[in-house]
Amino acid sequence: MENEGKVLVIHPEKCTGCRLCEMVCAVRHDGASNPARSRIRVMKWEMEGMYIPVSCQQCQDAPCMNVCPVGAISRNDELDTVEIDQDKCIGCRTCVAVCPFGAMSFNTTDRKVFKCDLCDGDPQCVRFCEVGCLEYIDAGDVSILKNKEAAAKLMIANQKATML
Amino acid sequence: MDFQGFIEFTAVKISCYIFLGAIILRFLFFLFCIFVNAEKNFWTPLYLIKTIIRSFFPLHKISIKRPFYTSIRYIFHICLILVPICYTGHLMIWEALETDFYPPELPDIWIDRLAVIAIFIGIWFLIRRISIPQIRKSSSAFDYIFIIIATLPFISGYYLVSGTPDIIFFLDNDIWNIHIISGEVFILCAAFLLCSTRINPDKCIGCASCELACPTETLETIDKDDIRTFKYSHYQCICCGSCINACPEDAVELRHNMNLLNFFKVNIKNIIRTAKLKRCIRCSKTFTPEPVFDKVVIELNHDYLKLCPECRKHDHAENFLK
């Protein structure tokens, strides 16, 4: 089977809201344990007990890529990511204004934008996520997972139907 | 005193003294600006030396990027300074000023060469300004006049020394006067000429890339309430052109201009542009300038664009919940 590229998969139901991924990400990229510098952010609903990590989706037709006036954002086919050329970036923040997921952030000290780059193929957030909420798997496997989920739901529904 | 005597002695003297005074004043203003600005930095003398070096030598990214234009610009300005000061025939000016100071002299053949170079570069500047539509559109009458004022003393001076072109023989007696008057005007202009950045409000989208690119913190932006103001002080500016290079919309211009009011505005940051900021419809924080927003809306029209990045993350996560 040919390699379809790997993707970062988030299972929100498994997240405990420990925010270790944020720390690891900030330390890996900026050398400071400052969650504000993290590429991945955990959205919390403490009352409901829901924690959902949000990160760059590496869109195929990325709006940030289309809108960049200097062409600093491009697709990396090898890793299947959208990457920023920091030397070309002028810091106009148009990509921050256009990103549908709010995944693009601006660093005021370096004066450049930043987003998830999947740590060049070895995402540290995945490595440190103990509960297995984050996974870095082949794109083909994602659809298999989804198929399994759908099949399981169907099976439960079938069982319920036979019980009735 | 007759007209001839006035332009040959009194006017020369007055313009030279005004020039000297203005140059000294400018240097003091420049130092003052650097000292005020250097408060934020750790080691003031280093910052001072760095800034002085940066303002006189082409060491910026942009100068290296456009080596031809930068070298032409520097050669032109070196000619403008060297030729009038080091020419042996100008000894009478120094005598008229009644100072003991005499500048170093260059051999006449070198002065001739430099003058010819200056004339050709001046003409090249003029042709470039007329022929490239992008530059022509943004030029005002002043830009042409300044180039002509700068080259006229050189053309007339070269004619006076070598006298070769016979086409302008009818000006024979007047060329001396033209040389002196144009030289005086040139000196007075040079004394009060400021090179400063201008932002074209029709093109600018308020993204503040120019501020980020500025190596001297001359350009400043302040986001207060929902207005972003761009501030600029020309004595701090080293005219490197980094802002022009950074601007995604070609809205920044670096231009010679003469404004006596601005000349005395020392270390006052003039507001050169204001842009309105967009507020998030959910948390009502400002997050992006309105022109950027308008540009993005044309690209793709979605409701999420009205949210700030932080609220977008929440929005996206909420979709997950459903």
Side-chain angles (χ1 to χ4, degrees):
Chain A
M1 199 179 105
E2 67 178 272
N3 188 15
E4 283 184 51
K6 284 178 148 190
V7 287
L8 187 76
V9 181
I10 295 167
H11 304 288
E13 68 281 357
K14 287 187 193 165
C15 183
T16 58
C18 68
R19 288 192 158 163
L20 190 64
C21 49
E22 291 186 5
M23 285 298 184
V24 168
C25 183
V27 169
R28 150 94 197 205
H29 290 97
D30 286 329
S33 57
N34 178 0
R37 295 280 183 80
S38 172
R39 276 81 173 144
I40 187 165
R41 298 301 296 272
V42 181
M43 296 291 116
K44 290 197 175 188
W45 283 267
E46 298 283 7
M47 296 298 283
E48 291 91 342
M50 283 303 295
Y51 311 105
I52 301 175
V54 179
S55 179
C56 174
Q57 305 291 307
Q58 321 287 358
C59 314
Q60 278 299 330
D61 185 27
C64 52
M65 189 167 75
N66 298 336
V67 93
C68 183
V70 290
I73 302 173
S74 58
R75 266 209 90 77
N76 181 342
D77 288 327
E78 207 176 304
L79 283 169
D80 205 24
T81 56
V82 177
E83 60 179 13
I84 306 165
D85 187 342
Q86 296 290 2
D87 294 332
K88 279 189 195 168
C89 176
I90 55 170
C92 69
R93 286 165 267 183
T94 315
C95 46
V96 179
V98 82
C99 180
F101 309 106
M104 191 73 84
S105 314
F106 183 73
N107 181 343
T108 41
T109 47
D110 290 350
R111 304 169 157 197
K112 295 279 160 72
V113 290
F114 61 87
K115 71 167 201 65
C116 175
D117 58 355
L118 292 178
C119 301
D120 301 326
D122 178 26
Q124 297 298 301
C125 49
V126 174
R127 208 178 124 200
F128 282 86
C129 186
E130 287 173 3
V131 292
C133 163
L134 301 170
E135 267 189 302
Y136 189 55
I137 50 176
D138 283 333
D141 292 353
V142 179
S143 50
I144 291 172
L145 273 178
K146 290 241 167 102
N147 287 348
K148 268 186 186 168
E149 261 174 44
K153 270 182 194 165
L154 211 69
M155 203 176 72
I156 291 164
N158 269 339
Q159 279 174 351
K160 274 183 185 169
T162 47
M163 296 246 300
L164 282 171
Chain B
M1 193 185 283
D2 62 327
F3 175 71
Q4 199 69 24
F6 176 74
I7 61 160
E8 271 176 32
F9 296 103
T10 325
V12 169
K13 233 170 157 178
I14 291 170
S15 54
C16 282
Y17 280 129
I18 291 175
F19 178 76
L20 275 178
I23 290 294
I24 292 165
L25 214 59
R26 281 173 82 142
F27 192 67
L28 291 178
F29 289 166
F30 175 69
L31 285 185
F32 176 75
C33 274
I34 288 172
F35 273 115
V36 172
N37 192 39
E39 280 176 352
K40 291 175 245 165
N41 295 281
F42 308 116
W43 200 40
T44 315
L46 182 75
Y47 182 79
L48 178 73
I49 293 163
K50 254 168 75 183
T51 314
I52 290 177
I53 290 173
R54 279 195 307 196
S55 41
F56 291 108
F57 294 97
L59 300 169
H60 319 284
K61 262 192 209 161
I62 171 98
S63 346
I64 297 157
K65 246 184 202 170
R66 302 175 64 188
F68 178 71
Y69 181 70
T70 310
S71 46
I72 289 281
R73 217 159 47 103
Y74 269 78
I75 290 168
F76 186 64
H77 283 94
I78 288 168
C79 291
L80 290 195
I81 295 165
L82 277 187
V83 174
I85 290 178
C86 299
Y87 177 49
T88 42
H90 282 173
L91 215 63
M92 47 189 288
I93 298 175
W94 302 95
E95 276 163 4
L97 290 179
E98 290 158 20
T99 53
D100 292 332
F101 172 74
Y102 289 101
E105 284 169 8
L106 277 176
D108 282 359
I109 181 77
W110 271 102
I111 295 294
D112 266 8
R113 281 174 193 163
L114 289 179
V116 171
I117 290 170
I119 292 166
F120 274 110
I121 295 177
I123 292 166
W124 180 75
F125 275 143
L126 209 59
I127 293 170
R128 174 179 166 273
R129 203 164 267 288
I130 294 167
S131 59
I132 300 176
Q134 209 182 339
I135 305 172
R136 186 177 57 220
K137 231 183 266 169
S138 64
S139 317
S140 60
F142 269 116
D143 298 315
Y144 297 107
I145 292 171
F146 281 140
I147 297 175
I148 292 168
I149 286 174
T151 27
L152 205 57
F154 288 84
I155 295 174
S156 54
Y158 189 77
Y159 177 75
L160 279 178
V161 172
S162 44
T164 32
D166 291 332
I167 338 152
I168 46 171
F169 65 92
F170 58 92
L171 282 172
D172 203 24
N173 297 324
D174 294 326
I175 208 105
W176 173 249
N177 289 348
I178 289 173
H179 180 66
I180 293 172
I181 293 171
S182 63
E184 284 158 3
V185 173
F186 167 62
I187 266 189
L188 286 178
C189 282
F192 295 101
L193 212 56
L194 297 168
C195 194
S196 56
T197 297
R198 213 163 43 195
I199 297 176
N200 186 345
D202 299 329
K203 286 186 190 168
C204 175
I205 55 168
C207 69
S209 311
C210 43
E211 183 225 2
L212 299 176
C214 183
T216 57
E217 296 162 24
T218 308
L219 260 171
E220 260 184 344
T221 59
I222 296 160
D223 292 1
K224 204 186 170 195
D225 296 330
D226 53 357
I227 301 280
R228 176 177 283 177
T229 45
F230 289 72
K231 291 185 165 185
Y232 171 79
S233 99
H234 46 252
Y235 279 111
Q236 231 168 293
C237 181
I238 55 174
C239 306
C240 63
S242 303
C243 41
I244 303 173
N245 194 34
C247 185
E249 301 289 314
D250 289 328
V252 187
E253 293 160 0
L254 192 60
R255 199 62 86 56
H256 285 303
N257 64 346
M258 225 166 80
N259 188 339
L260 280 182
L261 265 179
N262 274 348
F263 187 83
F264 291 104
K265 277 184 186 162
V266 188
N267 206 45
I268 295 172
K269 292 229 166 183
N270 296 321
I271 295 171
I272 53 170
R273 164 144 174 84
T274 53
K276 231 174 165 256
L277 295 172
K278 190 89 185 159
R279 276 184 192 279
C280 171
I281 51 167
R282 195 180 287 187
C283 64
S284 76
K285 265 186 203 155
T286 56
F287 66 101
T288 193
E290 254 170 26
V292 174
F293 178 78
D294 294 339
K295 194 181 145 197
V296 159
V297 163
I298 294 167
E299 194 77 20
L300 78 171
N301 199 352
H302 266 292
D303 282 343
Y304 75 78
L305 287 173
K306 289 173 188 158
L307 300 171
C308 71
E310 215 48 42
C311 290
R312 276 180 213 172
K313 281 178 200 156
H314 270 277
D315 194 55
H316 175 58
E318 273 166 17
N319 288 342
F320 242 126
L321 279 178
K322 286 169 199 162

